[in-house]
Amino acid sequence: MTDGPITEEDRAAIQAQLGRSPRGLRAVAARCPSGHPAVVRTSPRLEDGTPFPTLYYLTCSRLCSLVSTLEGSGLMREMTDRLAEDEELAAAYLLAHQAYLAERDAIEPLGTEVSAGGMPTRVKCLHVHVAHSLAAGKGVNPFGDEALERLVGQWPSGDCA
């Protein structure tokens, strides 16, 4: 986990990763083993005032692709189903949601209890959860941690850039 200012080199790398100019950048929240940005922290509002509730944004192209493969496997539906069956998991996921809101609201409150990725009642976007896990550290977001565990051996390894 890192949290540092965005350099011009970072900004160029993020633009190349996204294929467009990044919006609302605040900091690099996590880096790949090769040193390029993997997760950025964004502002709760874009420059024009539009709410942007995705506090952590996954930018590493390789990791995004791997997470998309997990999403395509039906994992999100399986995770959501487990929330209804496992009270301990549901409680941990609620805490992840609350932590996400607290971090976002410490920057700028949006006046909403909506966080990101379907929290706290469903799993809607694994990219958000993986980004949250990488930025906040293991043990904060159970589904982000689980997705990263499923990718061990594929990431982090090598030069992702």
Side-chain angles (χ1 to χ4, degrees), residues 19-159:
R20 62 170 172 76
S21 294
R23 302 176 301 164
L25 294 180
R26 294 185 63 82
V28 173
R31 292 185 182 275
C32 288
S34 58
H36 69 273
V39 177
V40 294
R41 181 188 312 262
T42 60
S43 294
R45 291 186 189 278
L46 297 176
E47 291 81 4
D48 67 1
T50 302
F52 191 66
T54 304
L55 179 62
Y56 296 113
Y57 201 92
L58 193 63
T59 61
C60 171
S61 303
R62 182 165 181 229
L63 186 53
C64 282
S65 177
L66 292 167
V67 172
S68 291
T69 300
L70 290 177
E71 286 186 345
S73 74
L75 182 59
M76 294 182 301
R77 183 174 31 257
E78 175 191 313
M79 289 173 162
T80 297
D81 290 347
R82 287 176 26 221
L83 284 171
E85 302 164 1
D86 186 335
E87 288 181 20
E88 191 174 309
L89 178 62
Y93 195 49
L94 177 60
L95 288 175
H97 164 72
Q98 292 168 338
Y100 199 97
L101 285 175
E103 290 176 60
R104 187 188 71 205
D105 289 350
I107 297 168
E108 181 182 354
L110 292 179
T112 180
E113 292 296 309
V114 174
S115 58
M119 291 188 277
T121 58
R122 63 190 173 117
V123 180
K124 181 180 167 188
C125 177
L126 282 181
H127 295 80
V128 165
H129 299 298
V130 167
H132 188 204
S133 284
L134 289 172
K138 189 172 177 140
V140 175
N141 187 314
F143 291 126
D145 292 349
E146 181 180 330
L148 285 167
E149 287 170 17
R150 289 174 181 251
L151 297 174
V152 168
Q154 299 174 70
W155 193 93
S157 62
D159 184 3

